[in-house]
């Protein structure tokens, strides 16, 4: 998982001097003359950044941001029952309006007088509903979008509540919001890309007789976004919206077209152990994340975070703690400048040799724009155009002109290309309704596989965090060397065209070979269909071992409660236990028994 601090509005209550009003009917802040446009360009902020939001709001607005995810918690408004504190909320919506931005709010927190915690108020839903009605009644003219809790499936679930509990909370919230502001929108929210949790919560609503008690869905796909630093890590990211919509068609058909938002995502700048993320790396990730989000129909993306706060983790901000603009800030401004406030997606292009390169065409501010790059670690200089084009480096902002027929080198740093010939735009539009091509299409396959250490032989499975040494035996066969201890697992993801969100039954097989005497074996950890807010991975409980034979052998598992959604960036892990080192030569996943 990404190392980052989850968002909470709790610190807002100490940021400013407070003033008490009796009930929610005291003088309300003036409604904005015009609501900001609904654009994909947003930011999310930690609670600690509230104290100086008036300083950084203008900065992010200059970069083209139109929405900010930030809001005080329940006991920040009502610290004593019936005594309402509006100072912080009022200052927040005023600052947003002054900068032509919109607040997207999180409804969460402890009841008045209770010990501060992040536990769902299941024993006080009436009080919760009163709180929701009060804040929505006051700010409904300023705030249109209201999320039910923040990451209740993860670090903000002190009460260890289940998806059924979250559904009850969401149903109560939806009723209170709609009564106070009928046109307001209510969103369900999860940490990471926990699509199974959302699916189970939506089913629980229907089971309770309150189906469709939401308007949009929010995900925080930090771990999937971290995969962009690896070859073709784009594949899981590009299929997030499709998988969620397929699940909605089953769990809530009337909401199958509900908007999907990314209300937190980021790329922390850090250097620890052998893991290094530079400021340029974060900027490259930002360019890919926003463009791929728009390409798959995600309505809004809110980068975490706007500015590094005092007292919390550093390295996520578009602005450093002292206000210095990082490359990611400049990249966001370049995107909003060229693509405009509301870019329309035209379609995709598979670029370069073998179509390995990623290309997405948008209708930008002054004409069509192609966002283009190669997978991590690859370069390609075969791309040419029949007309002159202009490219902008998404990280440095450098502009280069290429004449007709001049080769343009693509790397893993996205380029924004303008002056596109009409035929290129036409080709992209023809692809718009087709599945994304990268990594293949396995929607009709029964079995997928990969040969670790030989990426060109992958057929629907990809290894995550590649780095194991390759081994070639005397007979010409190959594989990767795996250490025999539990701290050296090997993880994989299955192509989303094969691993549907609602498929629960899989057969998994590993082909292994010993390189030393002693026990050889491992366990299978796999992503489950209903984590109830706990770890999304389960152990089969079956230790798979081999004989003393030194040839290739297979170890198989059968699971019936899986959900390969890639919440933490992978679908399953082969974890060595009580084993000597060995070699993995092939990994297979099937929806029917192996013969």
């Amino acid at each position: 998982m990404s190392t980052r601090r989850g968002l909470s509005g709790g610190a807002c209550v100490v940021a400013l001097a407070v003033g008490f009003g009796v009930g929610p009917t005291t003088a309300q802040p003036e409604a904005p003359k015009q609501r900001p446009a609904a654009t994909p360009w947003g930011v999310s902020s930690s609670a600690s950044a509230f104290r100086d939001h008036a300083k950084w709001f203008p900065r992010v607005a200059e970069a083209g941001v139109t929405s900010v995810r930030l809001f005080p918690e329940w006991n920040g408004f009502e610290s004593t029952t019936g005594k309402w504190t509006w100072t912080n909320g009022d200052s927040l919506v005023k600052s947003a309006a002054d900068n032509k931005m919109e607040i997207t709010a999180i409804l969460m927190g402890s009841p008045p007088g209770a010990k501060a915690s992040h536990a769902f108020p299941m024993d006080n839903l009436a009080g919760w509903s009163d709180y929701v009605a009060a804040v929505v009644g006051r700010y409904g003219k300023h705030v249109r979008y209201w999320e039910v809790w923040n990451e209740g499936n993860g670090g903000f679930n002190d009460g260890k509540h289940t998806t059924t509990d979250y559904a009850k909370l969401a149903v109560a919230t939806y009723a209170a919001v709609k009564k106070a502001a009928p046109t307001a929108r209510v969103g369900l929210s999860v940490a990471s890309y926990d699509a199974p949790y959302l699916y189970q919560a939506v089913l629980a609503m229907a089971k309770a007789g309150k189906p469709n008690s939401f308007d949009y869905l929010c995900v925080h796909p930090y771990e999937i976004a971290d995969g962009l630093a690896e070859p073709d890590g784009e594949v899981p990211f590009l299929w997030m919206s499709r998988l969620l919509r397929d699940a909605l068609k089953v769990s809530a058909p009337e909401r199958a077209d509900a908007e999907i938002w990314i209300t937190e995502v980021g790329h922390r700048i850090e250097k620890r152990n052998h893991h290094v993320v530079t400021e340029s790396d974060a900027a490259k990730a930002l360019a890919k994340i926003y463009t791929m989000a728009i390409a798959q129909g995600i309505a809004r993306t809110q980068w975490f975070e706007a500015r590094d706060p005092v007292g919390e983790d550093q390295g996520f901000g578009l602005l450093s703690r002292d206000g210095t603009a990082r490359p990611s800030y400049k990249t966001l401004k370049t995107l909003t400048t060229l693509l405009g406030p509301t870019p329309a997606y035209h379609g995709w292009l598979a670029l370069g040799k073998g179509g390995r390169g990623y290309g997405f065409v948008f209708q930008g501010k002054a004409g069509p724009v192609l966002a283009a790059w190669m997978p991590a670690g690859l370069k390609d200089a075969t791309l040419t155009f029949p007309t002159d084009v202009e490219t902008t480096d998404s990280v440095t902002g450098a502009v280069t002109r290429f004449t007709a027929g001049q080769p343009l080198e693509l790397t893993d740093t996205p380029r924004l290309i303008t002056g596109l010939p009409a035929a290129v735009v036409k080709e992209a539009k023809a692809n718009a309704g087709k599945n994304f091509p990268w990594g293949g299409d396995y929607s009709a396959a029964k079995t997928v596989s990969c040969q670790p250490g030989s990426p060109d032989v992958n057929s629907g499975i990809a290894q995550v965090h590649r780095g194991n040494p390759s081994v070639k035996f005397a007979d010409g066969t190959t594989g990767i060397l795996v250490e025999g201890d539990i701290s050296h697992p090997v993880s994989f993801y299955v192509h989303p065209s094969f691993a549907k969100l609602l498929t629960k039954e899989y057969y998994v097989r590993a082909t292994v070979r010993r390189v030393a005497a002693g026990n050889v074996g491992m366990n299978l950890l796999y992503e489950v269909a209903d984590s109830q807010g706990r770890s999304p991975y389960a152990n089969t409980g079956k230790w798979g071992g081999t004989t003393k034979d030194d040839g290739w052998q297979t170890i198989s598992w059968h699971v019936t409660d899986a959900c390969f959604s890639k919440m933490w960036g992978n679908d399953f892990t082969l974890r060595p236990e009580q084993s000597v080192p060995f070699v993995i030569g092939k990994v297979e996943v099937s929806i029917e028994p192996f013969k």
Side-chain angles (χ1 to χ4, degrees):
M1 295 178 65
S2 286
T3 305
R4 67 97 172 81
R5 188 82 174 269
L7 185 150
S8 164
C12 295
V13 298
V14 299
L16 301 170
V18 297
F20 290 106
V22 180
T25 57
T26 54
Q28 298 187 4
E30 183 180 351
K33 294 184 175 64
Q34 183 177 359
R35 289 188 184 274
T39 82
W41 316 112
V43 294
S44 185
S45 179
S46 61
S48 297
F50 180 92
R51 68 192 71 182
D52 58 355
H53 70 269
K55 293 181 180 179
W56 56 261
F57 270 25
R59 299 288 305 283
V60 296
E62 289 171 6
V65 168
T66 60
S67 70
V68 179
R69 182 177 183 259
L70 180 65
F71 206 63
E73 288 190 11
W74 181 1
N75 57 13
F77 287 114
E78 189 187 13
S79 57
T80 303
T81 302
K83 298 287 188 177
W84 296 89
T85 305
W86 301 117
T87 307
N88 292 341
D90 289 358
S91 71
L92 189 66
V93 297
K94 183 180 185 303
S95 293
D98 289 346
N99 290 283
K100 296 182 173 58
M101 297 192 300
E102 180 177 24
I103 294 298
T104 61
I106 311 152
L107 295 166
M108 68 181 298
S110 305
K115 181 180 178 181
S117 70
H118 289 117
F120 299 166
M122 303 309 300
D123 58 350
N124 191 14
L125 287 180
W128 167 265
S129 296
D130 290 342
Y131 144 68
V132 172
V135 295
V136 175
R138 186 173 184 86
Y139 298 115
K141 293 181 180 179
H142 302 79
V143 180
R144 287 179 290 181
Y145 299 96
W146 303 85
E147 284 181 51
V148 183
W149 215 259
N150 176 64
E151 300 189 347
N153 62 321
F156 291 84
N157 184 6
D158 295 347
K160 309 301 180 186
H161 291 110
T162 67
T163 47
T164 299
D165 293 326
Y166 184 65
K168 292 178 180 177
L169 182 69
V171 166
T173 306
Y174 187 83
V177 169
K178 295 296 184 176
K179 185 175 181 180
T183 61
R185 314 296 282 174
V186 178
L188 308 181
S189 178
V190 290
S192 303
Y193 178 70
D194 197 347
Y197 187 93
L198 290 172
Y199 175 72
Q200 295 294 339
V202 171
L203 285 180
M205 288 179 178
K207 187 176 181 180
K210 297 291 184 180
N212 306 319
S213 294
F214 67 98
D215 299 300
Y216 64 107
L217 301 177
C218 307
V219 295
H220 299 170
Y222 286 95
E223 296 80 10
I224 292 179
D226 284 348
L228 297 177
E230 300 187 30
D232 290 318
E234 290 86 351
V235 172
F237 192 97
L238 281 167
W239 283 75
M240 292 191 301
S241 179
R242 169 72 175 274
L243 294 179
L244 271 175
R245 293 210 182 282
D246 285 349
L248 283 174
K249 290 175 183 177
V250 175
S251 61
E254 294 180 10
R255 292 286 192 270
D257 294 326
E259 286 189 352
I260 297 170
W261 290 27
I262 296 175
T263 52
E264 274 194 45
V265 69
H267 208 54
R268 185 182 184 183
I269 300 157
E270 61 181 346
K271 183 177 181 180
R272 55 185 174 86
N273 300 328
H274 301 292
H275 182 67
V276 178
V277 178
T278 67
E279 292 191 347
S280 293
D281 291 334
K284 287 191 289 187
L286 182 146
K288 296 174 184 179
I289 286 167
Y290 276 94
T291 53
M292 290 193 296
I294 299 169
Q296 63 183 289
I298 290 175
R300 196 170 301 194
T301 300
Q302 296 177 308
W303 183 264
F304 185 88
E305 65 184 310
R307 176 175 172 172
D308 282 352
V310 175
E312 294 200 32
D313 292 341
Q314 304 298 297
F316 286 105
L318 299 171
L319 305 170
S320 65
R321 185 180 285 179
D322 65 6
T324 302
R326 288 195 170 115
S328 53
Y329 175 93
K330 299 172 184 177
T331 294
L332 180 57
K333 190 169 185 177
T334 296
L335 289 175
T336 60
T337 299
L338 290 178
L339 297 182
T342 54
Y345 173 61
H346 285 322
W348 56 261
L349 297 169
L351 304 172
K353 187 177 179 180
R356 291 292 304 276
Y358 295 86
F360 305 95
V361 179
F362 307 92
Q363 185 61 38
K365 191 173 183 179
V369 181
L370 168 63
W373 67 88
M374 294 297 292
L378 297 185
K379 295 182 179 181
D380 184 281
T382 64
L383 181 63
T384 61
F385 294 94
T387 60
D388 293 355
V389 297
E390 193 171 86
T391 76
T392 302
D393 185 298
S394 62
V395 176
T396 67
V399 177
T400 306
R401 190 168 186 82
F402 288 80
T403 58
Q406 181 182 356
L408 188 161
E409 184 179 65
L410 292 180
T411 68
D412 65 350
T413 298
R415 286 179 180 264
L416 301 173
I417 305 170
T418 55
L420 298 174
V424 171
V425 179
K426 183 178 179 180
E427 181 183 353
K429 288 182 176 180
N431 291 332
K434 302 175 184 178
N435 285 347
F436 293 121
W438 299 285
D441 187 346
Y442 304 93
S443 54
K446 300 294 185 183
T447 303
V448 290
S449 65
C450 76
Q451 292 182 224
S454 302
D456 294 334
V457 195
N458 291 345
S459 298
I461 299 178
Q463 183 185 349
V464 179
H465 306 310
R466 304 167 197 175
N468 300 74
S470 295
V471 174
K472 186 173 184 178
F473 292 96
D475 60 6
T477 57
T478 63
I480 57 169
L481 182 65
V482 180
E483 296 293 335
D485 62 276
I486 198 170
S487 61
H488 290 86
V490 185
S491 299
F492 303 87
Y493 74 76
V494 182
H495 196 281
S497 64
F498 177 85
K500 310 297 193 298
L501 203 63
L502 302 186
T503 301
K504 293 184 177 182
E505 186 172 15
Y506 292 103
Y507 298 84
V508 181
R509 181 165 68 185
T511 301
V512 303
R513 189 166 178 173
R514 64 170 58 252
V515 291
N519 289 328
V520 169
M522 69 201 84
N523 273 302
L524 174 73
L525 275 72
Y526 64 99
E527 198 168 12
V528 296
D530 189 4
S531 68
Q532 291 293 337
R534 297 183 288 273
S535 169
Y537 295 90
N539 191 323
T540 60
K542 176 189 173 183
W543 188 87
T546 67
T547 68
K548 295 180 179 180
D549 188 279
D550 61 2
W552 289 105
Q553 303 180 53
T554 61
I555 304 172
S556 299
W557 297 268
H558 177 211
V559 297
T560 58
D561 60 344
C563 181
F564 288 173
S565 67
K566 302 153 189 63
M567 175 178 170
W568 288 353
N570 69 83
D571 290 318
F572 66 93
T573 296
L574 301 178
R575 188 170 70 180
E577 295 184 24
Q578 301 176 0
S579 175
V580 296
F582 59 93
V583 173
I584 298 177
K586 189 175 184 179
V587 177
E588 301 163 275
V589 173
S590 179
I591 56 174
E592 57 187 20
F594 293 111
K595 296 179 180 179

